[in-house]
Amino acid sequence: MWRFLNGKEVLWVRVVKSLYGELVWGEDGFRCERRMRAGTGWWEKIVAAGKGTVGSWFVNNLCRRVGDGGNTRFWTQKWAGERPLSFRFPRLFNLCENKEALVSDMGRWENGKWEWELRWRRELFEREEESVNSLLLCISGCVIHAGETDGWTWKENKDGIYTTKSAYSCLQAERKDGTEANDSSKTAAMVWDAPALQKAKVTAWRALRKRLPTCDNLRRRNIVIDDVEMNCNACFSPVETVDHTLLHCPKASAVWDGIMRWIGLQSVRPQGLEAHFLLFSQLGNGKKCTKFLKSLWVCTIWILWRQRNASRFEASDFGISGTSF
Ligand SMILES: [Zn+2]
């Protein structure tokens, strides 16, 4: 597929092109220009690797190298930064005049210099103007080269050229991620049979899957947060993470210490929330005890998260001190 995309007109590429047409970039990744007949086998399977605008290992490692911009879609292809601009600036994408516009349609040459010229369906509000500025900043590093055609680069290799070896290592890494994600989903599922309020269990499950909207998670989802707002609200540690907020922050740590004193047990505190949950729920003997400890863990996480939200959004003090054991 790499060789096909990079336009080397060897015999097999010409044959495939005459049968199925060019590969075109659509809403859901690559597809063949001509509809394939059912069961056309091998080429269909290969093209399937290029499905999905984000998420597929092949597409994720592929990046558009812009020449004159005459063959690259401005909004829907990934050419400036890690994701297509339509993902990063959804509001502007909605307001743009032509969602299918090419990079070369979005500006013009003036005295030998490329000037961006973005067009919108209506006048923009002040906030939207700010987004336009961030968008311009984001594409300012990309140089348009007159007379050069657009192509592809492969991110896994420094020289931008695909090799089987780099594809293999990237697939191996993905497999490893997959198994880890599977283990963590099994652990998280263990909260469901704990006797506790449903909403407490949901919070604990989301915490174990690292899906609570802590600042680091929001940033990972490309929600822009100022550096000053990234820190923990309780102790001003620089980055608010799930593990920090619910386990290691001095405020949370004091709560866990109190709980350990209350149940009269001692234990180390692992780095990660998942390990902590597994260890904590196994502290006692017998099924009943495990159930009780699980539910205690779930409720504590819920209370800590509620306190975190109250201190962040309602400007109340991180008032755990009032909690009694
Ligand atoms: Zn903290």
Side-chain angles (χ1 to χ4, degrees):
M1 198 154 154
W2 168 259
R3 274 194 240 161
F4 191 93
L5 287 169
N6 277 279
K8 295 207 178 75
E9 291 288 318
V10 287
L11 182 64
W12 74 266
V13 172
R14 290 212 305 270
V15 172
V16 171
K17 273 189 191 171
S18 70
L19 283 173
Y20 311 116
E22 283 282 357
L23 282 179
V24 284
W25 180 264
E27 258 181 25
D28 187 32
F30 290 106
R31 62 180 169 76
C32 296
E33 201 175 24
R34 236 164 276 151
R35 184 178 277 277
M36 283 190 271
R37 275 169 290 133
T40 28
W42 67 279
W43 185 238
E44 194 174 4
K45 281 192 186 124
I46 292 173
V47 174
K51 282 263 178 286
T53 34
V54 281
S56 122
W57 68 274
F58 185 74
V59 174
N60 274 352
N61 281 296
L62 214 54
C63 200
R64 202 76 180 134
R65 189 192 62 240
V66 174
D68 61 6
N71 202 8
T72 301
R73 296 200 191 284
F74 184 86
W75 291 103
T76 51
Q77 273 185 313
K78 187 172 66 173
W79 61 280
E82 286 297 301
R83 312 173 85 191
L85 292 170
S86 57
F87 277 71
R88 294 181 60 186
F89 302 95
R91 201 187 173 87
L92 294 181
F93 179 56
N94 260 330
L95 287 170
C96 72
E97 219 178 60
N98 177 7
K99 290 188 167 53
E100 297 288 303
L102 300 169
V103 173
S104 56
D105 299 335
M106 303 298 267
R108 62 196 153 84
W109 290 100
E110 211 169 282
N111 304 325
K113 212 174 151 252
W114 179 259
E115 298 286 347
W116 292 108
E117 211 175 52
L118 311 180
R119 279 183 292 268
W120 312 102
R121 285 191 282 114
R122 61 159 168 77
E123 289 265 310
L124 299 185
F125 295 120
E126 201 175 322
R127 247 202 124 86
E128 292 158 356
E129 293 280 3
E130 279 172 32
S131 294
V132 174
N133 286 338
S134 336
L135 184 142
L136 286 172
L137 194 70
C138 168
I139 57 177
S140 62
C142 304
V143 188
I144 308 295
H145 303 276
E148 259 179 53
T149 47
D150 300 345
W152 296 95
T153 53
W154 179 251
K155 285 198 302 185
E156 280 286 303
N157 258 2
K158 271 198 197 120
D159 56 7
I161 294 170
Y162 172 91
T163 57
T164 323
K165 192 179 162 205
S166 63
Y168 179 76
S169 71
C170 127
L171 277 171
Q172 284 294 91
E174 190 167 86
R175 229 175 101 188
K176 194 168 153 255
D177 279 0
T179 13
E180 272 166 17
N182 242 341
D183 286 349
S184 93
S185 76
K186 270 187 207 153
T187 310
M190 285 164 64
V191 302
W192 299 122
D193 68 342
L197 283 175
Q198 188 65 13
K199 51 188 170 185
K201 287 194 271 194
V202 171
T203 306
W205 180 85
R206 290 176 72 198
L208 286 167
R209 297 303 317 269
K210 299 237 182 314
R211 287 187 188 171
L212 287 177
T214 46
C215 293
D216 66 324
N217 279 342
L218 291 176
R219 213 175 235 193
R220 213 168 296 142
R221 279 189 242 150
N222 281 352
I223 296 171
V224 181
I225 303 176
D226 281 344
D227 282 342
V228 283
E229 286 178 29
M230 282 294 283
N231 52 24
C232 165
N233 229 34
C235 71
F236 302 104
S237 151
V239 181
E240 190 204 39
T241 64
V242 171
D243 290 343
H244 174 85
T245 309
L246 301 176
L247 219 53
H248 303 295
C249 178
K251 301 277 182 175
S253 190
V255 173
W256 288 113
D257 287 344
I259 286 175
M260 296 310 276
R261 272 199 305 279
W262 180 56
I263 55 176
L265 292 169
Q266 277 186 336
S267 149
V268 286
R269 191 161 306 144
Q271 277 299 313
L273 202 63
E274 202 183 320
H276 185 258
F277 171 63
L278 289 170
L279 188 80
F280 188 88
S281 55
Q282 298 302 323
L283 282 174
N285 294 322
K287 267 191 181 164
K288 257 192 178 166
C289 202
T290 305
K291 256 196 174 171
F292 164 74
L293 288 168
K294 254 200 229 175
S295 106
L296 181 59
W297 191 90
V298 166
C299 294
T300 309
I301 291 295
W302 183 51
I303 290 168
L304 285 169
W305 182 246
R306 278 181 40 156
Q307 292 292 348
R308 175 268 184 196
N309 286 342
S311 84
R312 194 164 267 267
F313 304 119
E314 293 158 28
S316 86
D317 182 27
F318 203 97
I320 296 290
S321 50
T323 318
S324 54
F325 299 104

